[in-house]
Amino acid sequence: MHEPASVLALLPHGAGIVDGMLSVGGCRVDDLASRFGTPLYVYDDGTLRQSAREVLAAFRPLGARVSFAAKACEVIRVLRVFEEEGLDLDAVSEGELEAASRAGFDPDRIHLHGNNKAEEELARAIRCGLRAIVIDNVDEARRIVRLVGNQPVQVSLTMRVLLPVEAATHPHLQTSGERSKFGIPVESDEAREFLDLVAQHPSLRLISLHTHLGSQIADVDVYTRAADDLLQMAARLSARGSPLQEISLGGGWAVAYRPGDPSLSARDVAAALAPLFGDCSWRLAVEPGRALVARAGVAIYRVGSVKQSGSRRLVAVDGGMGDNPRPALYGARYSALPVSRPMSTPLGPTDVVGRYCESGDVLARDVFLPAMRAGDLICIPMSGAYQVSMASSYNLVPQPAVVLVGASRANLAVRRATVDDVLARDVP
Ligand SMILES: Cc1ncc(COP(=O)(O)O)c(C=O)c1O
């Protein structure tokens, strides 16, 4: 059983209990739920900034470039916080490029990822002069050559390298190793073809090598192995005259969703990489997503029913896999707290289930909650990453609102969708 105090420690920094109610960023969560409705995603400005500062501080001695992987949370107000804190940005779509631009990121602080980028995305990247386009395959490089044509532009490229390094994580979160769909296999015909293409085309410049091993990785050794492989490759390319500047090791550092879960801090990653990059010709780059936002966000749900089913107590809430598909996608596990009197002694194990018509719609299995009644509020900590950004309108349920809190004030960041929003593209 997780003690309530250990679950409280997963909340954003400065969260607390005011008059028996959970508070985040100086705002009582029950007040936020009344004002903005539920389900509600609450992000704490102070925790976002603290996370950004910790990661930047950890990598500063290495002179590394740190980007935020926007896919973890594309809310413009959140991106703006990271822009202000000095992070660069990793985007994967035209939508993310537009969100980044609205958040104030200059194009030369953005790189574009993706294993099958649309032509319009590549055209936009070339037009606005992004810092780099990360190349996943030769077809994409050929498409860029065609789009550039005779224009007098320079396009900076990063080569996403598929290494044989496999990280220990859920198979759906692995993005390296033999079965991965991402990147150009090292020392392959595809790699040679890509390098020849770059060498032949004066508009193209290969400035960095990149790999991203996967997500929720708690073992730092895979990063040093991947770095070793990329550094050797960079040395070979440099000997052939490639003007490489950077080696990017992606993101993927694990966060603890429940008390006691393994995690990997920015400081641990930086310490492990320091011997390799301390005195090196190439600058290190990293692009964490989850590690920068997971803790800053909490999900708030209202209980609709409580029932006993055999030995199981089921607490049904007004959200679920529509706003958080992670448990159904890859068995993600969470803890939970009541918003009112969060330190109450828990009863037996409870499943917090969602409102969607799928048996896999279980938000948090076997969590310890006190007696709950219809109308009570539940808080799921560590909800800041890959929830709002993965939310769907399955069952035609509108997506939740998002608020940003800090200094006892709450600002709406994303309004709750309406049924009209959800049906807006339907052509009856
Ligand atoms: C290329 C790339 N970089 C960075 C990330 C961020 O990973 P995480 O949020 O686990 O740090 C991802 C996540 O999918 C990714 O695909």
Side-chain angles (χ1 to χ4, degrees), residues 289-376:
R290 186 185 318 271
L292 284 160
V293 281
R295 183 168 176 188
V298 297
I300 310 299
Y301 301 100
R302 201 171 286 282
V303 174
S305 79
V306 180
K307 67 183 171 194
Q308 195 71 32
S309 176
S311 62
R312 312 200 71 73
R313 190 166 56 128
L314 302 179
V315 172
V317 297
D318 53 0
M321 67 185 294
D323 61 271
N324 182 7
R326 298 186 64 258
L329 267 182
Y330 32 71
R333 303 287 306 271
Y334 289 84
S335 51
L337 282 169
V339 167
S340 171
R341 296 187 305 283
M343 295 296 284
S344 308
T345 308
L347 298 175
T350 300
D351 289 348
V352 179
V353 301
R355 56 155 298 160
Y356 294 84
C357 302
E358 291 284 333
S359 292
D361 179 25
V362 179
L363 278 174
R365 211 177 271 288
D366 291 329
V367 292
F368 284 80
L369 285 167
M372 301 295 297
R373 284 195 312 244
D376 287 347

Side-chain angles (χ1 to χ4, degrees), residues 1 10 21 38 55 91 95 99 110 173 208 229 237 253-254 258 316 330-331 341 347 351 387 393 407:
M1 178 177 108
L10 300 173
M21 291 288 170
T38 54
V55 174
I110 304 172
L173 295 175
S208 48
D229 287 356
L237 289 178
W253 320 334
R258 297 177 303 164
Y330 32 71
R341 296 187 305 283
L347 298 175
D351 289 348
Q387 295 182 206
S393 52

Side-chain angles (χ1 to χ4, degrees), residues 69 71 90 113 160 210 212 215 251-253 287-290 386:
K71 60 179 81 66
D90 149 16
H113 264 296
R160 179 160 183 168
H210 160 88
H212 171 69
S215 278
W253 320 334
E287 52 190 34
R290 186 185 318 271
Y386 301 101

